[in-house]
Amino acid sequence: GPVSKLSFDRSIEFRHVGFTYACSSRPALQDVSLIINKGEEIAIVGPSGAGKSTLVNLLLRLHDPAPGTIYMDGIDLRQLQQREYRQLFGVVPQEALLLHSSIRDNIRHGRDELTDDAVERAARRANAHHFISRLPLGYDTLIGDRGVRLSGGERQRVAIARAIANDPAVLILDEATSALDSESERSVQEAVQQFTKHGTAVVIAHRLATVLHADWIAVVAEGRIVDVGPHQELLERCVLYSRLCELQFGDPNEPALAKTMG
Ligand code: ATP
């Protein structure tokens, strides 16, 4: 029967992983090999359609790879009890679906076992407590159509609080592509860094600050991993990476930019 796994202890390994969607003739991923060690922050970058979301979806076991295998702590994901495995992850989607409800309900997200204290702790770790405290009714403030409108950065921090509220071992974050003001960007970045002090994070990166802080970056193109390394090394040796950086972040070697991000 399925193996029970309640903790993530060492590493996740993709070994020669491929995947083709049911109605597609072209593989979305091909021969992807990759090791994510516990405690690391990994960024994934690549052009649109490269396979970044597919890679993350396989990690979450929304699909199984074919060919190839993904292991957690040496165990094939296919052997694991699915629901328990999913509990190890907190996911922040690019456009988090916030409910027309209170901030508290939005962070709790149906998990009645989360106490008010746990909700506030998550909000603090997500750098959201400060702005929430300044709202008219604090955590009871309604958001959405009939309530307070949150900025993009505030929405993302509520989504991060929601994702980390049950202390997942691994945080998966699909960064917003729309621009955040620089304070929000710094705040979201700090929340992720605070999480990675203890936890593991896999971020589909659309921001320079994220790739600069990542332990390493996987560059994906046409379903393959083109290169893996830290930002500066990739800038020097990976043409696709430096081109992506230019497109997404402006000139990454420009000293003024490097200074503000560093
Ligand atoms: P983006 O940055 O635009 O989100 P991505 O790098 O995340 O792109 P994926 O969404 O993983 O790329 O898509 C990889 C390839 O698989 C693309 O060619 C895409 O068209 C295809 N694809 C994605 N989802 C499906 C699906 N449900 N059915 C069929 N093909 C899909």
Side-chain angles (χ1 to χ4, degrees), residues 103-104 107-108 114-124 139 161 165:
I103 295 256
R104 192 190 312 285
I107 295 175
R108 188 172 278 142
L114 290 178
T115 62
D116 290 353
D117 267 1
V119 167
E120 188 181 313
R121 222 178 311 125
R124 283 183 186 279
Y139 285 81

Side-chain angles (χ1 to χ4, degrees), residues 21 26 28 47-54:
Y21 285 99
R26 211 168 49 88
S48 181
K52 303 181 295 293
S53 307
T54 304

Side-chain angles (χ1 to χ4, degrees), residues 21-24 26-28 46-55 94 174 204 206:
Y21 285 99
C23 301
S24 176
R26 211 168 49 88
S48 181
K52 303 181 295 293
S53 307
T54 304
L55 199 152
Q94 197 172 115
D174 191 351
I204 298 181
H206 297 288

Side-chain angles (χ1 to χ4, degrees), residues 13-17 30-35 225 228:
E13 178 176 3
F14 283 62
R15 206 180 290 170
H16 303 297
V17 163
Q30 283 188 80
D31 200 26
V32 167
S33 291
L34 168 83
I35 296 179
I225 294 197
V228 170

Side-chain angles (χ1 to χ4, degrees), residues 11 20 26-27 59 71 75 110 122 127 163 167 171 175-176 200 209 220 244:
S11 65
T20 305
R26 211 168 49 88
L59 175 58
Y71 303 89
I75 306 169
N127 260 337
D167 289 318
L171 181 69
E175 283 184 331
T200 309
V220 183
L244 277 170

Side-chain angles (χ1 to χ4, degrees), residues 5-251:
K5 188 149 188 24
L6 301 172
S7 67
F8 168 42
D9 302 315
R10 294 188 310 277
S11 65
I12 295 162
E13 178 176 3
F14 283 62
R15 206 180 290 170
H16 303 297
V17 163
F19 182 75
T20 305
Y21 285 99
C23 301
S24 176
S25 52
R26 211 168 49 88
L29 287 181
Q30 283 188 80
D31 200 26
V32 167
S33 291
L34 168 83
I35 296 179
I36 300 166
N37 291 305
K38 184 178 163 144
E40 290 178 337
E41 179 181 351
I42 310 314
I44 302 172
V45 300
S48 181
K52 303 181 295 293
S53 307
T54 304
L55 199 152
V56 159
N57 290 343
L58 290 179
L59 175 58
L60 289 168
R61 245 207 110 189
L62 299 180
H63 315 286
D64 283 326
T69 312
I70 305 172
Y71 303 89
M72 178 181 268
D73 298 334
I75 306 169
D76 184 340
L77 299 192
R78 279 174 276 236
Q79 294 182 302
L80 298 178
Q81 213 276 325
Q82 182 118 330
R83 259 176 58 100
E84 284 174 357
Y85 176 73
R86 210 62 69 67
Q87 295 276 320
L88 298 173
F89 295 86
V91 181
V92 183
Q94 197 172 115
E95 285 285 332
L97 210 62
L98 297 187
L99 318 165
H100 303 300
S101 182
S102 69
I103 295 256
R104 192 190 312 285
D105 286 348
N106 269 285
I107 295 175
R108 188 172 278 142
H109 207 224
R111 293 163 295 188
D112 296 331
E113 73 279 9
L114 290 178
T115 62
D116 290 353
D117 267 1
V119 167
E120 188 181 313
R121 222 178 311 125
R124 283 183 186 279
R125 288 166 63 207
N127 260 337
H129 177 74
H130 191 62
F131 89 77
I132 295 169
S133 325
R134 282 181 306 186
L135 295 172
L137 294 173
Y139 285 81
D140 295 313
T141 306
L142 293 180
I143 55 177
D145 289 346
R146 290 174 303 265
V148 170
R149 268 189 67 87
L150 302 182
S151 73
E154 290 166 346
R155 293 172 64 86
Q156 191 145 59
R157 280 175 282 159
V158 169
I160 292 174
R162 176 191 282 174
I164 64 178
N166 62 340
D167 289 318
V170 184
L171 181 69
I172 292 184
L173 191 148
D174 191 351
E175 283 184 331
T177 44
S178 52
L180 300 182
D181 61 79
S182 57
E183 195 203 319
S184 286
E185 178 161 337
R186 200 173 324 120
S187 209
V188 168
Q189 188 57 39
E190 278 170 14
V192 173
Q193 274 176 270
Q194 201 167 320
F195 180 87
T196 51
K197 275 190 208 150
H198 311 285
T200 309
V202 179
V203 182
I204 298 181
H206 297 288
R207 311 205 168 280
L208 181 59
T210 303
V211 295
L212 289 180
H213 284 109
D215 291 298
W216 49 268
I217 303 147
V219 185
V220 183
E222 293 179 6
R224 293 175 186 274
I225 294 197
V226 176
D227 205 341
V228 170
H231 174 72
Q232 202 55 46
E233 279 181 24
L234 290 177
L235 264 191
E236 283 159 20
R237 69 168 186 234
C238 180
V239 176
L240 175 62
Y241 183 74
S242 47
R243 216 179 278 150
L244 277 170
C245 281
E246 254 178 66
L247 282 174
Q248 291 193 330
F249 319 130
D251 182 353

